[in-house]
Structure formats: C-alpha cells, structure tokens
Amino acid sequence: MKILRYLFRSLRTRIFLAIFITGILSSVIILYATLTNYEERAVNVNTLEAKTQMRILANHLITNNYLQDPNSGTISGELDMLSSLYDGRVLIIDDSLRIVRDTYGIAEGKTIISREVIQCLKKGDAGATSRYDRQNGYIEMTTPIMETKSLEGGDVTRAVSQDQVVRGVMLISISTEPITNTLRILQRKAMIIEIIILAVLFGLSVLIADLVTRPFNRITRAINDVKAGYTNQPIRENAYMETEHISNAFNQLLLREKALDDSRQAFVANVSHELKTPMTSIKVLADSLTAQGDVPVELYRDFMTDITKEIDRENQIINDLLELVKMDKQVSALGISQVDVNLLTENVMKRLRPLARRMDVELTFESARQVTAEIDEIKMSMVITNLVENAIKYNKEHGWVHVTLDADHQYFTLEVSDSGVGIPEDSMEHIYERFYRVDKSRSREIGGTGLGLAITRTAVLMHRGSIDVRSREEEGTVFTVRIPLIHLAGKEDKT
Ligand SMILES: Nc1ncnc2c1ncn2[C@@H]1O[C@H](COP(=O)(O)OP(=O)(O)O)[C@@H](O)[C@H]1O
Ligand SMILES: [Mg+2]
C-alpha cells in the first residue's frame, strides 16, 4: 500500500500511466468500433442482397401464378436455391395467412400468425420488414408478393396503391453464421493486435516517462552537488520552462547566499582591521618607550596618555559592535513603553551640549507639539544621540544644529539639520554601512567608529520606522527619522 502511494507520487509513474492508459483505451475503442461496424455493414449488405433476390422471385411468383398453383417446378427450384444460397428458410404465404410453400417442407398448409407477415400483407412495400436476431444468428425478412391490378379491377380491399394488390408474403430467414465466423476470426486477430499494441505502448510509455522526467533528475543532481559543496557554480537546466524557473530561482538563492557570505567575510575583515588599529598604535608607543634607555617622566606621561586614548577607542569600537550584534537579533528585543519624546530629545541634547560648546556649534531644539510614542527609550535615545553627535562633529566653526520634532496622527518625525561639511553624492549610499566613514582620518580624530549610523538605522527599522538623508557638500545635512506612534509588533508586551 505504502509502496503504491510512493510510486503514484512519482511524476514518472504518472506520466507512464497517463500515456499507457490513454493508448490502451483508444486502441480498444477503435478496435471495438471497427468490429461492430464490420458486423453492422455485413448484415446490411446481406439484407439488401437478399431483398433484391426476393423481389425478383416475388415477381416470378406472380407471373407464374404460383400462389394458386404451387406445383410449378421452376419456381420451387428457384426457392430452394435461394434458401440454400443463404443457408436459410423461405416461406411463401398467401393472403389468407396460409403457408403455401416451406423450403424446409414442414409447415406447408399451416396458418402463420405473425405480426410482421400481417403488417406486410396490409401495407405492401411499406410494410416490408427485416429484423436481425443477433442472439440466434439469423436475419428475418418479409417482402410482399404484389400483383399489378388488371383494368377490370378485382379485390379492392387489399389495394395498396391504385393498381397494386398484395397477394401474399414471402418470409425468409437467413443464417448469419458466416458473418459471425468472420467476426470471430477478426476478434482473434484484434486480440493479437491489442497485445502487440500493449507491449509496444508499455515500452514507449516507460521511455517517454523517463525522457520527460530526466531534466528534473538532472536538476536535483545539480542542486545536490551544490549542497554537498562540490561546486557553487550556478546551475543551468533549460530543457523546459519549468526547469528553467527552478534553475533561476535556485541561482538567485545561491547568489543571495554568496552575497551574505561575502558581506559576512567583509565584516569580519573590517572588524579585525578596526580592532587592530588602536593595538598597533599602542604597540608603537610602548615599543618606543622601551627602546629608549633613559626616558624622562614627562615623555612617559605623554605616551601613557596616548596609550589610554587608544584603549578608550578600542573600548568604544567593541561597545558599538556589541550594540550592533545585540540589535541584529530580534525585534522582540525592544523594550516598548510610552515615552515622552520631547523630554527624551531634550535630555539627549543636554548631554551633548558640552561637546557642542567645545566644537563651537549652536544647538537648538524646536517642537511643534507634545509627542508621546510607544518606543524603546534606550534605543531611541541612541538614535537621537548618534544623529545629533554626527551633526555636531561633522560641522564647521560657528556652525549650528537644529533639531525639530513634529507628529501627525500616525508618526512622529524627528529632523536633525546642520550647517556642516555635508556628505558627498557618491558616499550617500554607503553611510549606513558598518565602519564606513567619508573621511577616515577626520572621523578617527573626532573619535568615530563608523558604526553609529549602522546602529541608528537598525534601531529605526526595529521600530518599523524610516530614516532619510538629504545633504549638500559644504552646506549641510538633514537627517529625517519617522517612527510610528503606536508600536504594532510590541502590542502583546504592553501592560
Ligand atoms: N551630519 C553629517 N554631516 C556630514 N557627514 C556625516 C554626517 N553624519 C554622518 N556623516 C558621515 O557618515 C559617516 C558615518 O557616520 P557614523 O556611522 O555615525 O560613523 P562615525 O560618526 O563613527 O564616523 C561619518 O564618518 C561621516 O563621514
Ligand atoms: Mg557617528
């Protein structure tokens, strides 16, 4: 049972069955139809032929006045011939239903009551019948024996047309044994043909089913090769549109995997490089101290301060990395609560004011309305900190940074605009990448890791919000963040 179900689930079996069954059915139907047709035709031909003979004989009967005088030798001979020709029996019946002649010689003088005979007597030619009795293997036919009426007239009651009178009926049954025999032979031949067709069809179906499913097997093998790691070449199977679709889909998957792999590798390379840079500086500083024999305390202090700076930087990178990795996990990691966004922004800016003062940048905040939203307070404060910090750091002397907050019924919008150095056109698409900095040395000088915007963007996306940037080199930059006021995914952990 299980193996049957297994077999039937195979495309090959199904194609095989479809071809095989269709072929068998149609060949059986054709053969059956041909045989039936042959039988019908043979019976028709026989009937027609016998009818003609009967008609001729009927005329002879009339001209020889056989009905009145059934001892005519020639007519009797003709009747006997007819009956032996068709291996049948001929009855001549007169208009009082009396059997005048029976070629079997057993019913002469008796009266026959038969619907066909009476009908034929009444209606003449229109009443002639023929009936094929398949079961018993004979055809029974009636033909009227008609006399063309003489001018003096006579029996008017039996007149069918104006001048024809039915004088009697000829009833003949002919054996259909020859037809049945031929049919039997044909059937035997058909059986043999059927068996040959069956064998050929079987082989053909197996072959076609195999051919049709071959591309699919090839594709499975190709995919398995990739899975096993023998190759990572794209696969190609264009035999059918379907297999081409599968190939294309698989290749796209392969490409995505490759891209993911590449970016992971690039990330690891970047991380290593970024972590190594402060290390190298520390080593150079320490080496130069140990290389000199007599180092003044002042120099020691100087170098140590530098070393501490490098260690702080290393720390900063590691912290940012951890932050990023932590956020890469899940949206459910959000700690959603009702947060006063105005207050949050003001607090962040208060913390950044010393930095702004140091960089000689004017920092202002403007809010169109009071905004509360369902957000993760810590992550959102990180977003605002990063944006405002960047705006301050990548600014000019006597520059300014404007922060505005607004909201509609669905989103709140935070805009951070500055009068800074701007972002070059070709860097725009990279600024959210990890470790990307437009000006590496400047960012390093200011203490950036290149991770700030990557973290910011991830945090915004976790809130199902959006972040946009417009910038003009040497003029300034505007970052716009839009966050939904109601956090849909976090509904369940609301109290
Ligand atoms: N407001 C801005 N004005 C000019 N450039 C900016 C601004 N914000 C970000 N950038 C550019 O995008 C880069 C990436 O920013 P970020 O990811 O925060 O890294 P970091 O600040 O650590 O350098 C920065 O190095 C800087 O070149
Ligand atoms: Mg930054």
Side-chain angles (χ1 to χ4, degrees):
M1 204 56 220
K2 219 170 181 173
I3 193 146
L4 268 183
R5 201 171 314 138
Y6 172 78
L7 268 179
F8 193 67
R9 283 194 52 210
S10 130
L11 181 64
R12 217 163 108 174
T13 317
R14 288 193 192 192
I15 291 171
F16 164 79
L17 285 178
I19 299 173
F20 192 60
I21 291 173
T22 320
I24 290 295
L25 274 183
S26 47
S27 73
V28 164
I29 289 171
I30 288 170
L31 283 173
Y32 179 79
T34 313
L35 288 180
T36 318
N37 202 31
Y38 162 77
E39 186 184 5
E40 205 172 287
R41 236 187 103 67
V43 167
N44 279 348
V45 167
N46 267 19
T47 311
L48 219 69
E49 222 175 73
K51 264 230 155 96
T52 318
Q53 302 266 5
M54 284 163 83
R55 210 155 276 147
I56 294 166
L57 248 171
N59 283 342
H60 280 195
L61 292 181
I62 287 297
T63 37
N64 288 297
N65 228 354
Y66 187 78
L67 285 171
Q68 281 76 36
D69 173 22
N71 297 321
S72 161
T74 43
I75 299 292
S76 288
E78 275 179 54
L79 287 175
D80 283 335
M81 234 167 68
L82 186 67
S83 103
S84 70
L85 182 67
Y86 288 108
D87 186 17
R89 179 185 192 180
V90 182
L91 295 178
I92 306 295
I93 300 145
D94 70 9
D95 54 4
S96 54
L97 295 178
R98 201 175 58 87
I99 294 172
V100 178
R101 176 77 209 277
D102 173 7
T103 50
Y104 278 14
I106 48 177
E108 275 162 18
K110 288 183 184 155
T111 305
I112 184 168
I113 311 287
S114 143
R115 200 154 46 86
E116 280 94 359
V117 173
I118 296 171
Q119 183 187 323
C120 192
L121 263 179
K122 267 197 201 144
K123 296 187 187 162
D125 262 338
T129 59
S130 74
R131 185 168 60 84
Y132 173 39
D133 187 335
R134 198 165 190 279
Q135 202 99 49
N136 300 313
Y138 66 87
I139 307 168
E140 195 180 74
M141 286 172 277
T142 55
T143 293
I145 303 166
M146 290 191 291
E147 185 181 359
T148 310
K149 214 173 72 177
S150 56
L151 278 173
E152 297 88 61
D155 199 340
V156 190
T157 51
R158 293 218 185 283
V160 224
S161 70
Q162 279 217 305
D163 46 1
Q164 293 228 297
V165 177
V166 181
R167 292 291 179 209
V169 172
M170 187 185 292
L171 179 79
I172 179 170
S173 20
I174 59 179
S175 167
T176 53
E177 211 179 288
I179 297 176
T180 333
N181 283 344
T182 315
L183 207 61
R184 208 167 296 131
I185 293 166
L186 285 180
Q187 267 165 351
R188 208 168 307 134
K189 281 197 177 146
M191 192 66 111
I192 294 166
I193 293 173
E194 196 59 59
I195 287 170
I196 293 170
I197 289 177
L198 206 103
V200 171
L201 210 61
F202 186 87
L204 214 66
S205 312
V206 169
L207 196 75
I208 291 173
D210 193 56
L211 279 178
V212 166
T213 50
R214 215 168 267 177
F216 289 101
N217 295 337
R218 277 204 296 267
I219 226 172
T220 311
R221 263 201 306 278
I223 291 177
N224 274 336
D225 280 356
V226 173
K227 199 179 78 187
Y230 297 138
T231 171
N232 54 4
Q233 282 319 103
I235 59 173
R236 258 184 105 72
E237 187 52 69
N238 300 345
Y240 306 130
M241 221 155 71
E242 285 80 359
T243 55
E244 201 179 331
H245 289 166
I246 297 176
S247 309
N248 288 346
F250 182 76
N251 289 340
Q252 273 160 23
L253 201 73
L254 208 65
L255 267 178
R256 209 165 68 189
E257 183 110 323
K258 235 184 230 166
L260 211 67
D261 215 45
D262 287 352
S263 88
R264 208 168 281 150
Q265 246 163 19
F267 180 60
V268 172
N270 272 339
V271 169
S272 312
H273 178 76
E274 294 297 330
L275 289 178
K276 253 177 95 172
T277 318
M279 288 291 211
T280 316
S281 302
I282 292 168
K283 185 160 166 51
V284 168
L285 287 167
D287 275 354
S288 62
L289 277 184
T290 40
Q292 291 177 44
D294 218 359
V295 188
V297 181
E298 306 300 303
L299 199 64
Y300 253 114
R301 188 162 290 139
D302 261 10
F303 275 31
M304 276 306 174
T305 317
D306 286 347
I307 288 177
T308 313
K309 243 188 236 158
E310 292 300 331
I311 292 174
D312 282 346
R313 196 174 143 61
E314 183 92 28
N315 242 337
Q316 181 65 43
I317 296 171
I318 291 172
N319 283 341
D320 277 359
L321 270 175
L322 285 178
E323 201 62 58
L324 200 60
V325 170
K326 220 163 57 188
M327 263 195 297
D328 264 356
K329 277 188 203 156
Q330 278 301 316
V331 178
S332 57
L334 282 179
I336 298 293
S337 60
Q338 283 283 350
V339 175
D340 181 338
V341 185
N342 296 66
L343 193 64
L344 182 73
T345 315
E346 272 161 27
N347 281 340
V348 167
M349 292 179 70
K350 199 184 283 170
R351 253 184 283 128
L352 289 172
R353 245 170 239 292
L355 177 70
R357 210 167 300 131
R358 213 176 326 130
M359 307 283 291
D360 190 16
V361 170
E362 188 199 9
L363 196 56
T364 55
F365 174 50
E366 185 187 321
S367 167
R369 65 195 79 237
Q370 199 61 33
V371 179
T372 41
E374 295 175 2
I375 51 175
D376 182 321
E377 189 168 0
I378 296 169
K379 294 208 168 61
M380 196 47 65
S381 99
M382 207 154 56
V383 167
I384 303 169
T385 307
N386 272 325
L387 292 179
V388 177
E389 198 184 299
N390 280 350
I392 297 171
K393 287 194 308 186
Y394 302 104
N395 219 313
K396 296 173 188 160
E397 240 175 282
H398 311 305
W400 49 258
V401 173
H402 290 318
V403 179
T404 55
L405 176 67
D406 199 358
D408 55 22
H409 60 289
Q410 269 188 320
Y411 297 92
F412 75 81
T413 311
L414 187 86
E415 210 174 76
V416 180
S417 42
D418 63 56
S419 60
V421 295
I423 303 167
E425 185 75 40
D426 53 340
S427 296
M428 282 297 232
E429 52 177 324
H430 298 297
I431 54 169
Y432 299 111
E433 287 169 13
R434 300 146 171 170
F435 298 119
Y436 183 83
R437 281 149 288 181
V438 175
D439 184 346
K440 282 235 173 198
S441 56
R442 176 169 179 157
S443 167
R444 209 176 121 70
E445 216 173 275
I446 303 167
T449 59
L451 292 170
L453 282 182
I455 294 172
T456 300
R457 198 175 95 100
T458 312
V460 167
L461 292 185
M462 281 171 90
H463 282 87
R464 289 166 190 272
S466 66
I467 180 164
D468 280 310
V469 60
R470 278 173 290 132
S471 183
R472 206 180 275 271
E473 247 181 305
E474 299 307 322
E475 278 180 33
T477 308
V478 183
F479 276 95
T480 311
V481 171
R482 251 158 66 93
I483 306 283
L485 293 172
I486 295 172
H487 185 76
L488 286 176
K491 278 263 172 197
E492 63 270 14
D493 48 38
K494 241 179 71 181
T495 42

